[in-house]
Amino acid sequence: MFYGYGMSIALRYADSRDEGVDILNDAFMKVFNNIRKYDISRPFKPWLRRIIINTAINHYHNNKKHLLKTDIAALENDIAEDESIISGISYREIIDMMQELTPGYRAVFNLYVIEEFTHEEIADMLGISIGTSKSNLAKAKKNLRTILENKLTRRQKDDQR
Amino acid sequence: MTSDENRFDPLDRFFRKKSEEYDDIAFREQDWLKLKNRLDVQDARLTYRRRVRWLVAASILLVSLMGYFTYENYLRINEITRQLQDETPTAEHLLPDDPVIMEETPDAPEESSAARREDGSLPGQPDDDHEPVPLDDDSDPEPFDDGHDPAPLDDDTDPVPREESSRLADRELFRSERTDEMDPRLATREVLPRQLHSDMIRSEDIRENGLLSHVRPAISDSGTHIPSETEEAELIAGLFDRTQSGRFSLGFVTAPDLSTVGGVSNFDTPGYKFGLTISYNITPDLAISTGAVHSVVRYSARSREYGSLFFYDDSGTTGDIAAECRLVDIPVTMTYHFLNLDQSGFFATAGLSSYIMLNEAYQFTPGGYSPGDMERWEKRTGTAHWLSNAGFSIGYERNVHQNWNLRIEPFIKVPVRTVGRADVELYSLGSFVSIHYRL
């Protein structure tokens, strides 16, 4: 019942499906070991969500990869303004795009954009400065735009054939 | 871009919206099997650890009991041995109605010398050829004869006159052999600690033994004293009772409490402690104690300093907490008096505490976009956290009356494991002020 929900969160932080499974399994182990602390009068999904996010951050700390991927050249077209074009992109493709980011950029992007934490909280959780958090976010967005534009360009070329 | 503009960034909206469309994530059986194996391994590990803990606890208890009884026996044997070695009775120290003594009055030396038998033995000395001297009681005395002749009378190394030496040796032998058939007073004197022996009690001996320090001196300070029969019995009974009852003491303790989590800094509003303790003196300098101390603990913690997954808002965001917890602290402490002065002294303690949570109240400040929102959670949890904190202190005590003493004792408690609903590592500082009564 919660496999899909949990996996959808774990995959956004993971480099691959297997790593996402590891994060999800670790999270569920914590759920089983701490189930006595769960207040049944409150909704379960936020509690599970919090556990999975914490577990993903722990994985990030344990497997920090400081190697930067090659900067992706940005295209000039601002495709983000035209949502009708990108609406056809599936969730799986979104995950693939996010997994192309470096772990640091990916973590900051997920925590800020999807989970809606502040930069102060992100800096606290990841052990970085607020400035680094903001910088990583900007770079993540820039890279994602580039990846998205590349994907749309390839799709357009495929459609034209 | 400002933070508000980020929120309305089309890219952000796109990813936020797409992240919720996860319907095409297919379930894989192998993912579940991985989790199942981990759960099975964890169960086996927990069972094994539980068994080991029980075994270790049982072993420690057994070794402690054996050690305690062995040590008690060792002390008792030492006391008796010392008493036997130091006991050197002379004529003036013997009881007036001792049947052997009656024969050895100051006027008697020539008579006893004249009464010496042909073989050199004394009339009171049993041997194969003579009847033993009748005693006050009617019971037949156990013969001493073990087949050996009495000690030769011409031993030049004996500093005591020959006749006196023989009499003393005889009396010594007589006393050591006759216990249950002797006068009960003499039988009692055989097994009492050295300090209780009537002809050896001196004020110095009483002071030496801390357990008897509160006894009213029944003798003069000038030296030994020969009590009457009634006086001696009362003295022995009284001393014996006090010796046994002086090992326990009751205490009432109170202290302010400064608590924090994650380290010894950033204290919140002080709390307080008060409670009762009971201690047992294993030796005059070493004691073990326990008790129940009601504590009010106040602390605040940032989201990274508490481990609980309970404090979150509906979006899963956590924040800071301010806590006030009421608990019962059950300490088990060893106390060692390392410096004893005339009416005071210094001591050090170390021990482990168990916390029984009575009531926990938390004020929760979420970290989301509503910084003004406060949430409060309070419950009588009743959870027990056994041996969760280690306590250390150094203190000063002063006797204020015969059985009363005051103590002041700065302490620190450090966490061994997390406690409470918030799963925090709780540090506490304070200073006990306590009054104790020796039972």
Side-chain angles (χ1 to χ4, degrees), chain A residues 3 8 17 26 33 37 39 42 46-47 50 80 83 86-87 89 91 94 112-113 121 124 141 145, chain B residues 6 9-10 12-14 16 18 21-22 26 31 38 42 304 309-310 312 314 316 367 421 423:
Chain A
Y3 176 83
S8 70
R17 173 95 187 217
D26 286 346
N33 290 331
K37 297 176 184 172
D39 184 353
R42 303 189 68 177
W47 190 64
R50 181 69 203 184
E83 289 188 25
I86 60 177
S87 62
I89 295 177
Y91 175 81
I94 293 293
Y112 187 85
V113 173
E121 290 164 329
D124 202 34
K141 284 188 178 181
R145 278 199 185 92
Chain B
N6 279 334
D9 184 349
D12 292 358
R13 284 208 310 269
F14 169 71
R16 208 178 294 132
K18 282 294 180 182
E21 298 172 3
Y22 56 85
D31 298 343
R38 284 180 68 176
Q42 188 186 39
R304 65 171 181 273
L309 300 168
F310 182 72
Y312 59 94
D314 288 338
R421 197 66 173 82
D423 275 337

Side-chain angles (χ1 to χ4, degrees), chain B residues 54-196:
Chain B
W54 275 112
L55 274 174
V56 168
S59 305
I60 290 173
L61 182 65
L62 196 62
V63 168
S64 303
L65 283 173
M66 284 171 59
Y68 171 74
F69 286 120
T70 304
Y71 183 66
E72 284 283 306
N73 261 352
Y74 169 76
L75 285 179
R76 196 174 181 78
I77 290 170
N78 272 356
E79 290 291 345
I80 295 173
T81 305
R82 205 161 38 156
Q83 179 186 358
L84 291 173
Q85 285 173 352
D86 291 346
E87 193 171 285
T88 53
T90 60
E92 63 187 84
H93 289 165
L94 296 174
L95 292 175
D97 53 353
D98 188 308
V100 179
I101 297 170
M102 293 303 291
E103 297 176 1
E104 299 164 353
T105 59
D107 296 331
E110 283 106 6
E111 294 164 5
S112 54
S113 173
R116 187 175 296 281
R117 302 179 193 131
E118 291 178 357
D119 60 359
S121 65
L122 292 172
Q125 181 181 6
D127 58 17
D128 289 336
D129 300 330
H130 295 87
E131 289 295 326
V133 176
L135 301 173
D136 283 345
D137 57 357
D138 294 332
S139 60
D140 187 24
E142 197 68 35
F144 286 101
D145 181 27
D146 57 357
H148 296 122
D149 290 334
L153 297 177
D154 57 353
D155 184 3
D156 293 329
T157 63
D158 190 348
V160 179
R162 187 170 303 166
E163 296 77 6
E164 189 71 14
S165 172
S166 298
R167 285 195 295 274
L168 291 174
D170 296 338
R171 184 161 172 275
E172 187 67 38
L173 186 61
F174 174 77
R175 283 195 169 200
S176 65
E177 291 287 338
R178 296 290 305 278
T179 54
D180 52 341
E181 294 181 20
M182 283 167 63
D183 188 316
R185 290 173 302 157
L186 296 177
T188 305
R189 288 169 57 178
E190 286 295 332
V191 299
L192 282 177
R194 175 174 183 268
Q195 292 82 353
L196 300 179

